[in-house]
């Protein structure tokens, strides 16, 4: 039994961030991974999704640009590049790299079997450590649909089957209209599938500003995607080589594949922590402002159920490594960007107007049609789209929320994110000099329209 400075359980983005920083600081670290180093994000979620989305996006951009022919989509070439980007589901180089840096790499399921010091078992081996970092992520939340258990992975897809698909299906029924459902639904539609999305809420992306949700709904109308709102799939059955689904409104949908995009649930209940007196919050590990669960026990990423994004997992990893190394840091989740990589891109940060009012703020809002106010949309496309919305706290004269709809919104939403996180006064923002022509100029137009 070896005693280490730290054991990191789960090597997705959060676990890798902690490990990299501790190894760079000369600490002795063991890492435990039951699947692939890189985690869900690297192999079955963020990376393959964005790779798959890019060619249809490029085609849409080309069609919209003056003097460019409509380029063809080459699915075999795209599939080959996707496989390259997900390393052909092989993490041998990552394992070798960590071992070369001095990490002890352990394969298999981890159990935390003791504390004071923390003791971790993997297979027949046990190791102790001053610190244990749990970064085991989350699994697919499977909805209670009658007949679902009778479907096989050839017709029932999660994000894993959807992002590693080998052929484009003729039709797809996507269950869930949040970010995953919107991204996968639009990808499949633009690759030629007949797509239906079933969303139990009143809008697609219904946690965002209603106007932003309306814009993505209008885009899906243009894409030919059928959307059933305030609806659920109640039952499914195998029919030939596909699936027959019945919706809560009585509609019947015949589809080649059923794609679950219904959310994820933390995997904090699979480590044996409750037997050691560690209380869970459902299946999540509750963390304090330092990302600490208990003395010497830390958690990062989806397993904490705090803003379940890769960039938050990496941020929590930075916080944890700083605290382990004695450079005390507190986690601040103000102004976490939220992006859906559809076309056009959908981005938001901070509070919606409704959320701000619920907190008792005196709220001011402004929305700008970027195609009417700016040159940049027209230099990109002959029939452009783009909008920007701001939410401000009148009393304190600061932004508290923003949303964006347009090309590369994932990039220019960070102007608002930085302003909200730092509490930059609206007066100071109005006095900036944005580059011409850019989408970022839209902030100045929207700021001047704010009644603040």
């Amino acid at each position: 039994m070896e005693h280490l400075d730290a054991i990191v359980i789960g090597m997705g983005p959060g676990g890798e961030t902690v490990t990299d920083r501790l190894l760079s600081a000369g600490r002795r670290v063991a890492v435990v991974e039951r699947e692939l180093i890189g985690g869900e994000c690297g192999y079955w979620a963020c990376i393959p999704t964005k790779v798959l989305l890019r060619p249809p996006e490029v085609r849409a951009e080309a069609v919209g640009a003056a003097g460019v022919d409509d380029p063809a989509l080459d699915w075999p070439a795209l599939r080959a590049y996707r496989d390259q980007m997900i390393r052909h589901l092989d993490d041998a180089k990552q394992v070798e790299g960590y071992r070369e840096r001095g990490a002890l790499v352990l394969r298999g399921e981890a159990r935390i079997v003791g504390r004071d010091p923390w003791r971790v078992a993997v297979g027949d081996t046990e190791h102790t450590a001053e610190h244990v970092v749990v970064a085991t992520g989350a699994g697919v939340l499977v909805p209670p649909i009658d007949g679902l258990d009778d479907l096989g992975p050839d017709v029932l897809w999660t994000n894993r089957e959807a992002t590693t698909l080998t052929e484009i299906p003729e039709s797809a029924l996507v269950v869930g209209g949040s970010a995953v459902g919107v991204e996968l639904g639009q990808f499949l539609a633009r690759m030629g599938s007949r797509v239906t999305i079933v969303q139990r809420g009143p809008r697609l992306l219904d946690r965002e500003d209603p106007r932003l949700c309306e814009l993505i709904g209008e885009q899906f109308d243009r894409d030919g995607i059928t959307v059933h709102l305030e609806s659920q799939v109640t039952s499914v059955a195998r029919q030939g080589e596909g699936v027959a689904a019945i919706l809560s409104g009585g509609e019947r949908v015949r589809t080649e594949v059923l794609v679950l995009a219904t959310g994820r649930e933390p995997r904090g209940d699979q480590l044996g922590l409750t037997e050691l007196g560690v209380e869970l919050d459902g299946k999540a590990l509750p963390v304090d402002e330092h990302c600490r669960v208990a003395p010497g026990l830390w958690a990062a990423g989806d397993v904490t159920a705090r803003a379940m994004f890769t960039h938050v997992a990496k941020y929590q990893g930075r916080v944890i490594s700083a605290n382990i190394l004695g450079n005390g840091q507190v986690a601040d989740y103000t102004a976490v960007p939220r992006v859906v990589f559809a076309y056009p891109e959908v981005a938001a940060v901070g509070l919606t107007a409704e959320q701000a009012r619920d907190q008792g703020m005196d709220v001011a809002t402004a929305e700008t049609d970027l195609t009417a106010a700016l040159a940049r949309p027209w230099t990109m496309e002959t029939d452009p789209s783009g909008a920007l919305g701001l939410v401000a706290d009148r009393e304190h004269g600061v932004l508290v929320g923003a949303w964006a709809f347009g090309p590369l919104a994932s990039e220019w939403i960070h102007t608002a994110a930085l302003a909200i996180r730092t509490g930059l006064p609206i007066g100071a923002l109005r006095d900036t000099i944005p580059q011409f022509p850019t989408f970022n100029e839209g902030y100045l137009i929207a700021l001047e329209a704010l009644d603040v």
Side-chain angles (χ1 to χ4, degrees):
M1 182 185 296
E2 183 177 356
H3 185 73
L4 301 121
D5 295 312
I7 300 174
V8 179
I9 304 173
M11 285 295 284
E16 285 204 276
T17 298
V18 175
T19 301
D20 289 342
R21 290 177 176 238
L22 294 183
L23 289 174
S24 295
R27 299 301 193 267
R28 177 65 171 149
V29 181
V31 302
V32 185
E33 177 52 58
R34 67 178 188 175
E35 291 187 301
L36 297 171
I37 290 178
E40 195 82 16
C41 173
Y43 298 95
W44 301 286
C46 314
I47 297 302
T49 302
K50 279 53 180 178
V51 169
L52 293 172
L53 285 165
R54 181 58 181 152
E57 178 183 61
V58 170
R59 184 182 189 185
E61 291 175 344
V63 169
V68 180
D69 289 335
D70 184 354
L73 291 170
D74 184 341
W75 170 239
L78 170 54
R79 182 177 57 201
Y81 184 64
R82 183 272 319 271
D83 291 343
Q84 176 185 329
M85 287 296 292
I86 64 173
R87 306 161 185 159
H88 299 275
L89 300 180
D90 179 2
D91 67 348
K93 289 185 177 180
Q94 284 64 44
V95 171
E96 180 184 1
Y98 278 114
R99 285 176 173 159
E100 287 178 350
R101 295 178 63 189
L104 175 63
V105 180
L106 304 172
R107 288 292 203 183
E109 298 275 355
R111 295 276 299 176
I112 301 177
V113 295
R115 59 189 300 177
D116 303 323
W118 294 101
R119 194 165 81 252
V120 177
V122 182
D124 296 329
T125 67
E126 288 189 12
H127 298 281
T128 60
E130 294 299 316
H131 302 277
V132 169
V133 181
V134 178
T136 49
V140 174
L141 180 63
V142 179
I145 298 174
D146 186 34
L148 201 63
D149 293 342
D150 298 328
L151 302 181
D154 58 328
V155 295
L156 177 61
W157 290 3
T158 66
N159 64 289
R160 291 198 171 195
E161 290 79 16
T163 56
T164 56
L165 80 171
T166 57
E167 300 297 335
I168 303 297
E170 290 185 3
S171 58
L173 175 58
V174 180
V175 185
S178 60
V180 173
V182 167
E183 290 183 353
L184 291 177
Q186 192 181 54
F187 162 72
L188 290 170
R190 294 198 165 204
M191 293 300 294
S193 294
R194 185 178 69 257
V195 174
T196 301
I197 295 181
V198 178
Q199 164 70 331
R200 66 184 301 174
R203 300 179 299 273
L204 295 171
L205 307 176
D206 60 359
R207 296 183 181 179
E208 300 298 347
D209 187 280
R211 177 61 179 142
L212 186 56
C213 303
E214 181 182 346
L215 290 168
I216 193 64
E218 292 172 354
Q219 179 61 50
F220 273 26
D221 285 341
R222 291 190 289 271
D223 289 335
I225 298 172
T226 300
V227 179
H228 293 272
L229 299 174
E230 296 185 291
S231 178
Q232 299 182 60
V233 177
T234 58
S235 67
V236 294
R238 192 79 184 233
Q239 189 177 84
E241 295 184 355
V243 177
I246 299 177
L247 310 188
S248 53
E251 302 92 341
R252 295 175 180 269
V253 179
R254 173 72 169 81
T255 182
E256 187 174 335
V257 296
L258 184 74
V259 184
L260 297 182
T262 46
R264 303 183 68 80
E265 57 182 359
R267 293 196 188 105
D269 60 335
Q270 302 177 9
L271 297 165
L273 284 168
T274 54
E275 289 90 333
L276 299 177
V278 177
E279 293 187 9
L280 306 186
D281 182 5
K283 296 183 178 182
L285 292 183
V287 293
D288 65 12
E289 67 273 18
H290 303 288
C291 298
R292 180 172 48 211
V293 181
L297 180 65
W298 314 80
D302 288 1
V303 74
T304 70
R306 292 279 188 95
M308 295 165 74
F309 302 115
T310 294
H311 43 295
V312 172
K314 295 172 73 171
Y315 171 67
Q316 290 175 319
R318 302 201 311 266
V319 171
I320 290 169
S321 55
N323 283 303
I324 289 176
L325 295 172
N327 306 316
Q329 184 175 343
V330 171
D332 178 359
Y333 302 99
T334 304
V336 174
R338 309 180 295 275
V339 176
V340 181
F341 288 84
Y343 184 83
E345 289 183 352
V346 178
V349 65
L351 304 175
T352 65
E354 181 180 3
Q355 289 168 339
R357 292 189 185 100
D358 288 345
Q359 293 187 19
M361 295 183 193
D362 181 10
V363 172
T365 63
E367 178 184 338
T368 296
D369 178 351
L370 301 180
T371 66
L374 304 181
R376 182 55 175 153
W378 296 94
T379 65
M380 290 190 70
E381 300 181 58
T382 57
D383 185 21
S385 60
L388 171 66
L390 300 180
V391 182
D393 177 352
R394 278 196 183 92
E395 180 182 358
H396 296 97
V398 295
L399 292 182
V400 294
W403 58 263
F405 180 80
L408 296 176
S410 58
E411 303 292 339
W412 44 277
I413 194 64
H414 287 87
T415 294
L418 185 59
I420 294 168
R421 189 169 182 85
T422 60
L424 191 63
I426 287 174
L429 286 167
R430 285 173 174 156
D431 195 41
T432 58
I433 307 173
Q435 171 68 40
F436 175 87
T438 62
F439 282 96
N440 219 58
E441 284 185 284
Y443 284 103
L444 188 57
I445 307 297
L447 286 162
E448 290 177 343
L450 275 175
D451 180 20
V452 176

